[in-house]
Amino acid sequence: MKRNVLDEREQQVLGQIEHIALNAAEALLISAVVIQLWFGADFKQIAGESIILLLLAVGMIAAYVHSGIWDTDAAPSRKGNFRYSLFTGIGAGLLTFGLNGNGIFAVVLGLGMFLLAFVLLTLLMKSVRRRQERQAEEFESDD
């Protein structure tokens, strides 16, 4: 394995650059999927982007939970989970309505996505809190 030649400041800058690049790649992949759907693409045409997004999201979430990290801008909370879930539900509902024009189906799908996102975020929040508590206990036992 090669030796790391970066100092601590340079590693932090590299981490920030990689964070921005990862977020940009994710946003561009989501945009590509949405645009292709609006132009009438079927799942076979968006499968590659969708699989990459799914693997990226699952990998990032697993790494965050394993590290006891929730977010750079917020601590885990029910209020935050509600906001993110509401955004997800509204986005899914609007996208569904835009694609097929069926308002009832769009509302039902939006509500389902809201509930799914809220439950998943709540479970992840509990996992992150447990991990943070274990890390605090390990830190205290080292002293």
Side-chain angles (χ1 to χ4, degrees), residues 26-38 41 46 49:
E26 185 180 33
L28 290 170
L29 281 169
I30 291 169
S31 299
V33 168
V34 170
I35 290 167
Q36 289 177 66
L37 287 172
W38 275 335
I46 62 165
E49 291 94 335

Side-chain angles (χ1 to χ4, degrees), residues 4-17:
N4 188 351
V5 297
L6 301 178
D7 64 22
E8 187 175 326
R9 183 197 61 80
E10 291 170 327
Q11 286 211 250
Q12 286 182 348
V13 170
L14 180 65
Q16 291 170 347
I17 292 168

Side-chain angles (χ1 to χ4, degrees), residues 12-143:
Q12 286 182 348
V13 170
L14 180 65
Q16 291 170 347
I17 292 168
E18 290 172 344
H19 177 76
I20 292 168
L22 181 63
N23 285 341
E26 185 180 33
L28 290 170
L29 281 169
I30 291 169
S31 299
V33 168
V34 170
I35 290 167
Q36 289 177 66
L37 287 172
W38 275 335
F39 284 121
D42 63 358
F43 183 73
K44 291 177 186 176
Q45 293 172 304
I46 62 165
E49 291 94 335
S50 300
I51 291 168
I52 289 169
L53 279 168
L54 178 66
L55 292 174
L56 179 65
V58 169
M60 293 289 293
I61 290 168
Y64 282 177
V65 171
H66 177 72
S67 300
I69 297 171
W70 183 253
D71 191 13
T72 57
D73 302 325
S77 70
R78 287 199 192 286
K79 185 178 177 182
N81 291 351
F82 181 83
R83 274 193 312 241
Y84 288 125
S85 300
L86 187 61
F87 176 74
T88 301
I90 290 171
L94 289 174
L95 181 62
T96 302
F97 183 73
L99 291 174
N100 70 11
N102 185 339
I104 294 172
F105 181 67
V107 168
V108 170
L109 187 102
L111 286 172
M113 287 301 294
F114 167 78
L115 290 172
L116 179 64
F118 188 76
V119 168
L120 288 174
L121 285 171
T122 301
L123 292 173
L124 288 169
M125 177 181 71
K126 290 180 181 184
S127 295
V128 167
R129 285 184 176 164
R130 276 195 306 270
R131 180 67 178 153
Q132 289 172 341
E133 288 170 3
R134 275 190 248 128
Q135 287 173 332
E137 290 170 5
E138 290 172 6
F139 181 72
E140 289 174 4
S141 68
D142 287 343
D143 290 339

